[in-house]
Amino acid sequence: MDEVAAGRMAERIELAEALSRDDLEAVLGRIGEGIAVHAPDGRIVYANEAAARLLGVDAPSDVVGVSAGEHRRRFDLFDLHGRPLDTALLPAESARRGEDESELFVRFRPAAGGEEHVALTRAVRVLDDHGELRYVVSIFRAVTEEKAADALRKLEQVTKTALGQFSLIDLAPSLLDQSRSVLDADTAAILLLDEAGQSLTMRATVGFAEEEVSQAVPVPLGRGLAGRVAASRDPWHVDDLD
């Protein structure tokens, strides 16, 4: 390639890059959905006006260059049911780990106090020519409480229909394994009340040795860890089982 041709190509590339930046701001800067582009290390390299508003800052320039984790620390995050949300479950974090595109309803409110909002969030992976992660694009759409509740009802209906096609024995291994993974636990078990409703019997386990399972005895309702949880129907966290 001669110098003239090389110069023309460089000029075209420079013009294309300038147009891309202008188009990006023209298109994304004025839409209602929040858009944030993350580098693989989590730093935000672009944010539009809507994303800045959702993050509680005055301008996109206050967002760019800071890690998403820093912004999240200013908020309390909850799932659609109102339970504390592990940030590792956010779509952007899932995308950074290489997982498929996903959506998630997130409740959030300022940690210092303020109004709670609900947003539908999803993330898209952008790869380079070598298949390596170049960017993660997060999209946030603020939704009303009514819309969130409607989505929850639909999700519950789908779940109820799906579960109706299986027996407990079919679902137990998968449910237990997923529960153990989410809780970062060594073992998990399902105990069911007997017909008299007086004691709990171990019906499915993950992570226990065969000898431990074979020696398991019924747990009286209201006695021991499992018995007390079953009686109160409240979750119970114990720091030291000993």
Short mmCIF file of all heavy atoms in Angstrom, two decimals, residues 154-186:
data_model
loop_
_atom_site.label_atom_id
_atom_site.label_comp_id
_atom_site.label_asym_id
_atom_site.label_seq_id
_atom_site.Cartn_x
_atom_site.Cartn_y
_atom_site.Cartn_z
N LYS A 154 -46.82 -13.28 36.73
CA LYS A 154 -46.63 -14.11 35.54
C LYS A 154 -45.52 -15.13 35.76
O LYS A 154 -45.64 -16.29 35.36
CB LYS A 154 -46.31 -13.23 34.34
CG LYS A 154 -47.48 -12.37 33.87
CD LYS A 154 -47.08 -11.50 32.69
CE LYS A 154 -48.26 -10.65 32.22
NZ LYS A 154 -47.87 -9.76 31.10
N LEU A 155 -44.43 -14.69 36.41
CA LEU A 155 -43.33 -15.60 36.69
C LEU A 155 -43.77 -16.73 37.61
O LEU A 155 -43.44 -17.89 37.40
CB LEU A 155 -42.17 -14.82 37.30
CG LEU A 155 -40.94 -15.65 37.71
CD1 LEU A 155 -40.34 -16.32 36.49
CD2 LEU A 155 -39.90 -14.76 38.38
N GLU A 156 -44.54 -16.38 38.63
CA GLU A 156 -45.01 -17.39 39.57
C GLU A 156 -45.94 -18.38 38.88
O GLU A 156 -45.92 -19.57 39.17
CB GLU A 156 -45.72 -16.71 40.73
CG GLU A 156 -44.77 -15.97 41.68
CD GLU A 156 -45.49 -15.22 42.76
OE1 GLU A 156 -46.70 -14.93 42.58
OE2 GLU A 156 -44.86 -14.91 43.79
N GLN A 157 -46.75 -17.88 37.94
CA GLN A 157 -47.67 -18.76 37.22
C GLN A 157 -46.89 -19.74 36.35
O GLN A 157 -47.19 -20.93 36.29
CB GLN A 157 -48.63 -17.95 36.36
CG GLN A 157 -49.68 -18.79 35.66
CD GLN A 157 -50.53 -19.59 36.64
OE1 GLN A 157 -50.97 -19.05 37.65
NE2 GLN A 157 -50.75 -20.85 36.36
N VAL A 158 -45.85 -19.22 35.66
CA VAL A 158 -45.01 -20.08 34.83
C VAL A 158 -44.31 -21.13 35.68
O VAL A 158 -44.26 -22.31 35.34
CB VAL A 158 -43.97 -19.24 34.06
CG1 VAL A 158 -42.95 -20.16 33.38
CG2 VAL A 158 -44.65 -18.37 33.02
N THR A 159 -43.77 -20.69 36.83
CA THR A 159 -43.09 -21.61 37.73
C THR A 159 -44.04 -22.68 38.25
O THR A 159 -43.71 -23.86 38.30
CB THR A 159 -42.48 -20.84 38.92
OG1 THR A 159 -41.62 -19.83 38.42
CG2 THR A 159 -41.70 -21.78 39.82
N LYS A 160 -45.25 -22.24 38.63
CA LYS A 160 -46.23 -23.19 39.16
C LYS A 160 -46.61 -24.22 38.11
O LYS A 160 -46.73 -25.42 38.39
CB LYS A 160 -47.47 -22.42 39.61
CG LYS A 160 -48.49 -23.27 40.35
CD LYS A 160 -49.70 -22.42 40.74
CE LYS A 160 -49.30 -21.31 41.68
NZ LYS A 160 -50.47 -20.51 42.12
N THR A 161 -46.77 -23.77 36.87
CA THR A 161 -47.13 -24.69 35.78
C THR A 161 -46.00 -25.67 35.52
O THR A 161 -46.23 -26.87 35.34
CB THR A 161 -47.43 -23.90 34.50
OG1 THR A 161 -48.51 -22.99 34.75
CG2 THR A 161 -47.81 -24.83 33.36
N ALA A 162 -44.76 -25.16 35.52
CA ALA A 162 -43.61 -26.03 35.26
C ALA A 162 -43.44 -27.06 36.36
O ALA A 162 -43.21 -28.24 36.10
CB ALA A 162 -42.35 -25.19 35.11
N LEU A 163 -43.55 -26.60 37.60
CA LEU A 163 -43.36 -27.52 38.71
C LEU A 163 -44.45 -28.58 38.75
O LEU A 163 -44.24 -29.67 39.26
CB LEU A 163 -43.35 -26.74 40.03
CG LEU A 163 -42.15 -25.82 40.26
CD1 LEU A 163 -42.27 -25.12 41.59
CD2 LEU A 163 -40.84 -26.59 40.18
N GLY A 164 -45.61 -28.25 38.22
CA GLY A 164 -46.71 -29.20 38.23
C GLY A 164 -46.45 -30.42 37.35
O GLY A 164 -47.15 -31.43 37.46
N GLN A 165 -45.43 -30.32 36.49
CA GLN A 165 -45.13 -31.43 35.59
C GLN A 165 -44.14 -32.43 36.19
O GLN A 165 -43.83 -33.43 35.58
CB GLN A 165 -44.54 -30.88 34.27
CG GLN A 165 -45.37 -29.78 33.62
CD GLN A 165 -46.80 -30.22 33.36
OE1 GLN A 165 -47.03 -31.31 32.83
NE2 GLN A 165 -47.75 -29.38 33.71
N PHE A 166 -43.63 -32.12 37.38
CA PHE A 166 -42.60 -32.96 37.97
C PHE A 166 -42.98 -33.36 39.39
O PHE A 166 -43.73 -32.67 40.07
CB PHE A 166 -41.25 -32.24 38.00
CG PHE A 166 -40.76 -31.83 36.65
CD1 PHE A 166 -41.04 -30.57 36.14
CD2 PHE A 166 -40.01 -32.69 35.89
CE1 PHE A 166 -40.58 -30.18 34.90
CE2 PHE A 166 -39.54 -32.32 34.64
CZ PHE A 166 -39.83 -31.06 34.14
N SER A 167 -42.42 -34.46 39.83
CA SER A 167 -42.58 -34.86 41.22
C SER A 167 -41.40 -34.32 42.02
O SER A 167 -40.38 -33.91 41.46
CB SER A 167 -42.60 -36.39 41.31
OG SER A 167 -41.33 -36.92 40.95
N LEU A 168 -41.53 -34.32 43.33
CA LEU A 168 -40.46 -33.85 44.19
C LEU A 168 -39.19 -34.64 43.97
O LEU A 168 -38.08 -34.08 43.96
CB LEU A 168 -40.89 -33.94 45.66
CG LEU A 168 -39.82 -33.57 46.69
CD1 LEU A 168 -39.40 -32.12 46.50
CD2 LEU A 168 -40.34 -33.79 48.09
N ILE A 169 -39.32 -35.92 43.78
CA ILE A 169 -38.14 -36.76 43.60
C ILE A 169 -37.38 -36.39 42.34
O ILE A 169 -36.16 -36.52 42.26
CB ILE A 169 -38.53 -38.27 43.57
CG1 ILE A 169 -37.30 -39.14 43.79
CG2 ILE A 169 -39.24 -38.61 42.28
CD1 ILE A 169 -36.66 -38.98 45.13
N ASP A 170 -38.11 -35.87 41.31
CA ASP A 170 -37.45 -35.42 40.08
C ASP A 170 -36.69 -34.11 40.29
O ASP A 170 -35.61 -33.91 39.75
CB ASP A 170 -38.46 -35.22 38.95
CG ASP A 170 -39.14 -36.52 38.54
OD1 ASP A 170 -38.43 -37.55 38.54
OD2 ASP A 170 -40.34 -36.51 38.24
N LEU A 171 -37.28 -33.21 41.06
CA LEU A 171 -36.73 -31.88 41.23
C LEU A 171 -35.70 -31.77 42.34
O LEU A 171 -34.83 -30.91 42.30
CB LEU A 171 -37.86 -30.88 41.52
CG LEU A 171 -38.79 -30.55 40.37
CD1 LEU A 171 -39.95 -29.72 40.87
CD2 LEU A 171 -38.05 -29.80 39.28
N ALA A 172 -35.78 -32.63 43.34
CA ALA A 172 -34.97 -32.47 44.55
C ALA A 172 -33.47 -32.36 44.27
O ALA A 172 -32.83 -31.44 44.79
CB ALA A 172 -35.24 -33.62 45.51
N PRO A 173 -32.86 -33.25 43.49
CA PRO A 173 -31.40 -33.14 43.30
C PRO A 173 -30.99 -31.80 42.71
O PRO A 173 -30.02 -31.18 43.16
CB PRO A 173 -31.08 -34.31 42.36
CG PRO A 173 -32.19 -35.29 42.59
CD PRO A 173 -33.41 -34.44 42.82
N SER A 174 -31.72 -31.34 41.70
CA SER A 174 -31.38 -30.07 41.05
C SER A 174 -31.58 -28.89 41.99
O SER A 174 -30.74 -27.99 42.09
CB SER A 174 -32.22 -29.89 39.79
OG SER A 174 -31.94 -28.65 39.18
N LEU A 175 -32.72 -28.89 42.71
CA LEU A 175 -33.01 -27.80 43.64
C LEU A 175 -31.96 -27.72 44.74
O LEU A 175 -31.47 -26.64 45.09
CB LEU A 175 -34.39 -27.99 44.27
CG LEU A 175 -35.60 -27.75 43.36
CD1 LEU A 175 -36.87 -28.16 44.07
CD2 LEU A 175 -35.67 -26.29 42.94
N LEU A 176 -31.60 -28.88 45.28
CA LEU A 176 -30.62 -28.91 46.35
C LEU A 176 -29.24 -28.45 45.88
O LEU A 176 -28.55 -27.69 46.56
CB LEU A 176 -30.51 -30.31 46.94
CG LEU A 176 -31.58 -30.71 47.95
CD1 LEU A 176 -31.38 -32.15 48.38
CD2 LEU A 176 -31.57 -29.79 49.14
N ASP A 177 -28.85 -28.91 44.70
CA ASP A 177 -27.54 -28.55 44.19
C ASP A 177 -27.46 -27.05 43.93
O ASP A 177 -26.46 -26.40 44.23
CB ASP A 177 -27.24 -29.33 42.91
CG ASP A 177 -25.78 -29.29 42.55
OD1 ASP A 177 -24.94 -29.45 43.46
OD2 ASP A 177 -25.46 -29.09 41.37
N GLN A 178 -28.53 -26.47 43.37
CA GLN A 178 -28.56 -25.03 43.12
C GLN A 178 -28.57 -24.25 44.43
O GLN A 178 -27.89 -23.23 44.56
CB GLN A 178 -29.79 -24.66 42.28
CG GLN A 178 -29.73 -25.13 40.83
CD GLN A 178 -28.59 -24.48 40.07
OE1 GLN A 178 -28.32 -23.30 40.23
NE2 GLN A 178 -27.89 -25.27 39.27
N SER A 179 -29.32 -24.73 45.40
CA SER A 179 -29.37 -24.05 46.70
C SER A 179 -28.00 -24.07 47.37
O SER A 179 -27.55 -23.06 47.93
CB SER A 179 -30.39 -24.74 47.62
OG SER A 179 -31.69 -24.66 47.07
N ARG A 180 -27.35 -25.20 47.31
CA ARG A 180 -26.02 -25.30 47.90
C ARG A 180 -25.04 -24.34 47.21
O ARG A 180 -24.22 -23.70 47.88
CB ARG A 180 -25.50 -26.74 47.80
CG ARG A 180 -24.13 -26.92 48.43
CD ARG A 180 -23.68 -28.35 48.45
NE ARG A 180 -23.51 -28.91 47.11
CZ ARG A 180 -22.81 -30.00 46.84
NH1 ARG A 180 -22.25 -30.68 47.83
NH2 ARG A 180 -22.70 -30.45 45.62
N SER A 181 -25.15 -24.23 45.89
CA SER A 181 -24.26 -23.34 45.15
C SER A 181 -24.51 -21.88 45.51
O SER A 181 -23.57 -21.12 45.76
CB SER A 181 -24.46 -23.55 43.65
OG SER A 181 -23.69 -22.64 42.90
N VAL A 182 -25.78 -21.48 45.56
CA VAL A 182 -26.13 -20.09 45.87
C VAL A 182 -25.68 -19.71 47.27
O VAL A 182 -25.18 -18.60 47.52
CB VAL A 182 -27.65 -19.87 45.72
CG1 VAL A 182 -28.08 -18.52 46.30
CG2 VAL A 182 -28.05 -19.96 44.26
N LEU A 183 -25.83 -20.64 48.23
CA LEU A 183 -25.48 -20.36 49.62
C LEU A 183 -24.01 -20.64 49.93
O LEU A 183 -23.57 -20.43 51.06
CB LEU A 183 -26.36 -21.21 50.54
CG LEU A 183 -27.86 -20.91 50.48
CD1 LEU A 183 -28.64 -21.92 51.31
CD2 LEU A 183 -28.14 -19.50 50.97
N ASP A 184 -23.27 -21.13 48.92
CA ASP A 184 -21.86 -21.48 49.12
C ASP A 184 -21.73 -22.46 50.29
O ASP A 184 -20.88 -22.30 51.17
CB ASP A 184 -21.03 -20.23 49.37
CG ASP A 184 -19.53 -20.50 49.25
OD1 ASP A 184 -19.17 -21.47 48.58
OD2 ASP A 184 -18.74 -19.75 49.85
N ALA A 185 -22.59 -23.47 50.31
CA ALA A 185 -22.62 -24.44 51.41
C ALA A 185 -21.95 -25.75 51.00
O ALA A 185 -21.77 -26.03 49.82
CB ALA A 185 -24.07 -24.71 51.82
N ASP A 186 -21.57 -26.54 52.01
CA ASP A 186 -20.97 -27.85 51.76
C ASP A 186 -22.03 -28.92 51.55
O ASP A 186 -21.84 -29.86 50.78
CB ASP A 186 -20.07 -28.25 52.93
CG ASP A 186 -18.90 -27.30 53.11
OD1 ASP A 186 -18.33 -26.89 52.09
OD2 ASP A 186 -18.58 -26.95 54.26
#
